[in-house]
Amino acid sequence: MLLKRFNLPDLVLGVLIIIIGAIVFYIALSYPPGRTALMGPGYMPRALGVILVVMGGILLLRSAVADKKPLPQYQLRAVASIMLAIIVFGFLIHRAGFVPAVAAATIISSFANPRARLIPTLILSVVLAVISSAIFIWGLKLNAELVKWPNY
Amino acid sequence: MAELLTNLQLGFEVALSLQGLFYCLLGVTLGTVVGVLPGIGPMASISILLPLTFHTKPELAIIMLAGIYYGSAYGGSIAGILLNIPGTANTAVTCLDGYPMTKQGRAGVALFVTAIASFVGSMIGLIMLIGFAPVLARAALIFGPWEYFAAMVLGLIGASVMSSNGLLRALIAVALGLVLGFVGTDVQSGIQRFTFGNLQLIGGLSLIAVAMGFFGVPEVVANAPNAHSHKMLTGKVTLRSMLPTRDDVRRSWKSILRGSGVGIVLGILPGTGGLIASFMSYALEKRVSKNPERFGKGAIEGISAPEAANNAAIQAAFIPTLALGIPGDVLMALMLGALVIHGVTPGPTLVTNHPELFWGVTVSFFIGNVALLVLNVPLIGLWVSLLKIPYRSLFPAIVVFICVGVFSVSSSSFDVYLVAFFGVAGYSIAFLKIQPAPLLLGMVLGPMMEDELRRSLLLAHGDWTSFLTRPVSLSILLVTAAILVGFAVTNIRAQRRAALQNEAK
């Protein structure tokens, strides 16, 4: 495929940076730039947007002339599991309490390991819930409720 | 001289107080424990343990943080030497000759020399700190916004030049960091930038959340899929096996001194610090050695010099951080952030207005290093046994500690969501070979730089040449230019050499 002639990490990164730079510039347009002697909030962000686009462009050019390189493996399952685990923690800690949040985070993040098994993971979630409750809530007086029982 | 003694006395009072000692030892111990654990490098350890320091007074927090750093650096070295797990640049260098030594059965010696080299390096750096920081602080009183801006530019360029994935990528990282730094309320105009109407972002992005997301999460994501095949330790390390031979001592003491020298120079320059010093010192040792082919196969200078350099650099990096308020490297940026959260603004006024903080912290560095030496040599068996915890049980625990840690700082779920977002972002850009360290440095320095730049241009009525007409600012910028030129020249020479070698084949 034609794309394989490029240095892919550089190519992908270059495109990404150009897009990010363009977005930054676009958002920065809504803040007043002021003048050099009296810089407004929009001045530096616009400058950075431009700089990012330029750097992305350089990368893009480089990707055409540099050694061809493929992309390394992107661990999608691991990323998704851990990201979900963290989000669920943030969601549960206020609504269900500390213990459910820790347990859920443990179980969900274990999906990042394709060879994880159910029973050891469940045991680990209990152990972690106990240990972290001891350290953070009892030891460090963390401001969180252990478990929030639903109001009947 | 008498003034120095009174200051040191003040420092000892703070550091040797019961609380000071406790937090110092706690930091060192926690740091070593977390640092030893495979899959967590010093930066990740500090990000994870940072929230714990917010529960106390600023001077105790910094004492604990410093202890955490030494501990985790040493813990990381232990993991590197015994298991060939490179957590960061520092440990990567240690692995090069440390792991071969383990295979030769000389792990004990490697660990012992590491501890000694770290101690000596720190002491030398500490002497620099004691000597220079107050001097620099006094000199900095003549610094105007032009000088501060120039110094920060030096810091960012310095950090970018030393980055291992190339200058362009490091600069991109810095630029991204600067953009992240814009998020929040603009100090001069009161206008909210990049907040998308979100109330939680008015104060800016939480430094902890971003640090955890960029340093802690990507390591876990990268290592978790292999959790079952993560290397495990076999064999034992005894106390007796740790004593070095006379030959070892002869070879290492000079390298320790050279390493410390490299470390001090790189540490004082804003933007470069311990992470870089190790590489440079290893390269220096190889060039200076009479038999460079020994390197990579268990040469003791290959671990003693980088360790000394790393520790000397850390101490020296505190000089610009505490005296100027400009972080020496990413680690210092985190410490700076921690100080600011405590309501202490580092800078020239720190040394004079908060002497108990500065000198207390300085003395506790000394105590921390002694503690590291005293604790770690006998307890080496304990740390080694920690390496036996299987990673498949460990990584969910890391995720949990990251979540709880971030939550404990602000009790805000939003910050936790930020970690998830930056975790994905962090892994993705690491995947594209962009390093998080310059990014975080950019994020911390960005608002400060913008502030100083605005002020300088306001005072100079929009005249950019004011940076070049002021002598101090000009000299700082010249140093920056020299670094860039030096980098370009080395690059070109290396390319030319490679091309010649290709032709010769």
Side-chain angles (χ1 to χ4, degrees):
Chain A
M1 213 178 115
L2 183 68
L3 271 182
K4 290 231 177 85
R5 290 176 189 256
F6 289 87
N7 179 329
L8 283 179
D10 278 2
L11 181 68
V12 173
L13 185 61
V15 170
L16 186 66
I17 295 299
I18 290 179
I19 295 177
I20 293 179
I23 295 178
V24 167
F25 186 79
Y26 179 71
I27 298 177
L29 284 176
S30 51
Y31 311 128
R35 25 179 241 280
T36 307
L38 197 61
M39 279 189 192
Y43 198 103
M44 289 311 301
R46 286 178 207 208
L48 267 188
V50 171
I51 292 176
L52 278 172
V53 169
V54 168
M55 291 201 285
I58 297 178
L59 259 186
L60 215 57
L61 290 173
R62 225 168 65 167
S63 76
V65 294
D67 309 323
K68 316 192 271 285
K69 242 186 238 175
L71 285 174
Q73 166 87 332
Y74 191 85
Q75 304 284 4
L76 189 60
R77 179 180 160 145
V79 170
S81 324
I82 292 180
M83 179 175 95
L84 195 62
I86 299 177
I87 292 177
V88 166
F89 181 93
F91 184 77
L92 285 180
I93 186 132
H94 278 307
R95 291 175 183 77
F98 188 77
V99 168
V102 170
T106 315
I107 296 174
I108 297 177
S109 60
S110 71
F111 278 92
N113 177 7
R115 288 171 58 181
R117 292 166 309 171
L118 182 64
I119 304 290
T121 305
L122 287 177
I123 298 178
L124 180 65
S125 66
V126 171
V127 168
L128 267 184
V130 169
I131 296 181
S132 43
S133 301
I135 298 178
F136 288 99
I137 297 190
W138 180 77
L140 291 173
K141 309 274 186 300
L142 177 71
N143 186 21
E145 291 189 32
L146 273 177
V147 182
K148 272 194 154 115
W149 303 107
N151 297 324
Y152 291 109
Chain B
M1 191 60 199
E3 191 190 322
L4 183 65
L5 286 178
T6 7
N7 285 328
L8 285 176
Q9 187 189 0
L10 175 65
F12 271 104
E13 275 174 22
V14 173
L16 282 178
S17 67
L18 213 55
Q19 282 188 310
L21 268 181
F22 172 70
Y23 278 103
C24 180
L25 293 176
L26 182 65
V28 170
T29 313
L30 278 178
T32 314
V33 168
V34 177
V36 164
L37 297 175
I40 315 181
M43 284 312 306
S45 330
I46 291 170
S47 314
I48 296 173
L49 290 171
L50 191 65
L52 291 177
T53 62
F54 291 143
H55 298 268
T56 66
K57 295 186 292 185
E59 53 268 22
L60 297 173
I62 298 297
I63 288 176
M64 185 170 161
L65 262 174
I68 291 174
Y69 187 87
Y70 302 135
S72 62
Y74 187 64
S77 301
I78 297 179
I81 291 174
L82 291 176
L83 287 186
N84 204 29
I85 298 176
T88 62
N90 169 40
T91 48
V93 173
T94 318
C95 289
L96 285 174
D97 277 274
Y99 189 58
M101 284 182 78
T102 302
K103 287 199 282 196
Q104 293 163 11
R106 303 219 305 153
V109 175
L111 292 167
F112 184 74
V113 170
T114 303
I116 300 281
S118 307
F119 181 74
V120 173
S122 300
M123 284 300 119
I124 295 182
L126 192 58
I127 295 174
M128 284 282 120
L129 179 65
I130 294 179
F132 273 116
V135 170
L136 187 60
R138 235 169 282 153
L141 287 173
I142 62 161
F143 268 35
W146 297 265
E147 283 70 38
Y148 276 110
F149 181 76
M152 291 186 217
V153 169
L154 172 65
L156 289 178
I157 298 286
S160 307
V161 163
M162 303 288 187
S163 156
S164 43
N165 280 330
L167 184 59
L168 181 60
R169 279 186 145 82
L171 288 177
I172 290 178
V174 167
L176 288 174
L178 292 174
V179 170
L180 288 180
F182 288 141
V183 176
T185 308
D186 177 34
V187 177
Q188 286 201 2
S189 61
I191 293 182
Q192 292 172 28
R193 297 192 289 188
F194 296 102
T195 60
F196 310 113
N198 190 327
L199 282 172
Q200 304 262 20
L201 289 176
I202 292 184
L205 290 169
S206 154
L207 180 63
I208 305 290
V210 176
M212 298 259 205
F214 278 120
F215 286 111
V217 174
E219 280 191 44
V220 178
V221 171
N223 290 326
N226 300 321
H228 263 79
S229 54
H230 236 251
K231 297 176 199 152
M232 300 290 301
L233 179 68
T234 49
K236 293 179 65 173
V237 176
T238 65
L239 199 56
R240 192 160 304 172
S241 71
M242 296 181 76
L243 292 175
T245 65
R246 184 166 298 176
D247 192 47
D248 292 329
V249 172
R250 185 178 57 85
R251 285 186 206 277
S252 30
W253 74 267
K254 276 189 217 157
S255 58
I256 291 180
L257 286 178
R258 279 193 291 264
S260 307
V262 171
I264 293 174
V265 169
L266 289 177
I268 289 193
L269 281 181
T272 59
L275 296 174
I276 313 302
S278 323
F279 267 133
M280 301 282 285
S281 129
Y282 188 83
L284 179 69
E285 285 306 307
K286 223 169 155 178
R287 207 176 288 184
V288 165
S289 163
K290 299 201 181 66
N291 349 52
E293 63 284 352
R294 285 187 306 116
F295 282 81
K297 301 196 191 93
I300 197 143
E301 306 93 302
I303 47 173
S304 56
E307 285 296 328
N310 183 51
N311 284 52
I314 296 161
Q315 295 292 176
F318 271 107
I319 299 178
T321 309
L322 290 176
L324 288 180
I326 299 175
D329 70 354
V330 150
L331 163 75
M332 292 299 140
L334 280 183
M335 297 236 189
L336 198 83
L339 275 174
V340 170
I341 294 180
H342 277 279
V344 175
T345 11
T349 52
L350 180 77
V351 182
T352 37
N353 291 359
H354 295 271
E356 75 282 355
L357 180 85
F358 179 76
W359 292 105
V361 165
T362 311
V363 172
S364 88
F365 290 163
F366 171 69
I367 296 180
N369 279 294
V370 173
L372 193 70
L373 200 62
V374 163
L375 277 182
N376 285 320
V377 174
L379 290 183
I380 196 78
L382 182 66
W383 309 135
V384 166
S385 65
L386 279 176
L387 278 171
K388 300 201 177 130
I389 299 180
Y391 194 72
R392 58 182 178 272
S393 309
L394 195 55
F395 82 83
I398 299 174
V399 174
V400 166
F401 286 141
I402 288 178
C403 293
V404 180
V406 168
F407 184 77
S408 70
V409 173
S410 55
S411 294
S412 141
S413 294
F414 182 77
D415 283 353
V416 179
Y417 299 143
L418 276 183
V419 177
F421 175 77
F422 284 114
V424 176
Y427 174 72
S428 307
I429 61 170
F431 163 80
L432 291 169
K433 301 225 177 50
I434 289 211
Q435 288 172 319
L439 200 152
L440 206 75
L441 200 58
M443 183 174 139
V444 171
L445 285 179
M448 295 199 277
M449 286 179 71
E450 191 185 19
D451 205 30
E452 302 295 344
L453 183 65
R454 271 174 160 162
R455 220 176 286 167
S456 355
L457 288 174
L458 179 68
L459 289 171
H461 305 292
D463 182 14
W464 287 96
T465 63
S466 57
F467 285 98
L468 300 174
T469 47
R470 290 175 62 99
V472 182
S473 157
L474 176 65
S475 34
I476 296 179
L477 288 174
L478 283 177
V479 172
T480 313
I483 291 180
L484 277 172
V485 168
F487 172 78
V489 167
T490 330
N491 242 18
I492 295 177
R493 257 197 228 151
Q495 282 178 358
R496 213 175 279 169
R497 212 177 295 148
L500 283 174
Q501 282 179 351
N502 276 337
E503 277 182 35
K505 279 190 193 149

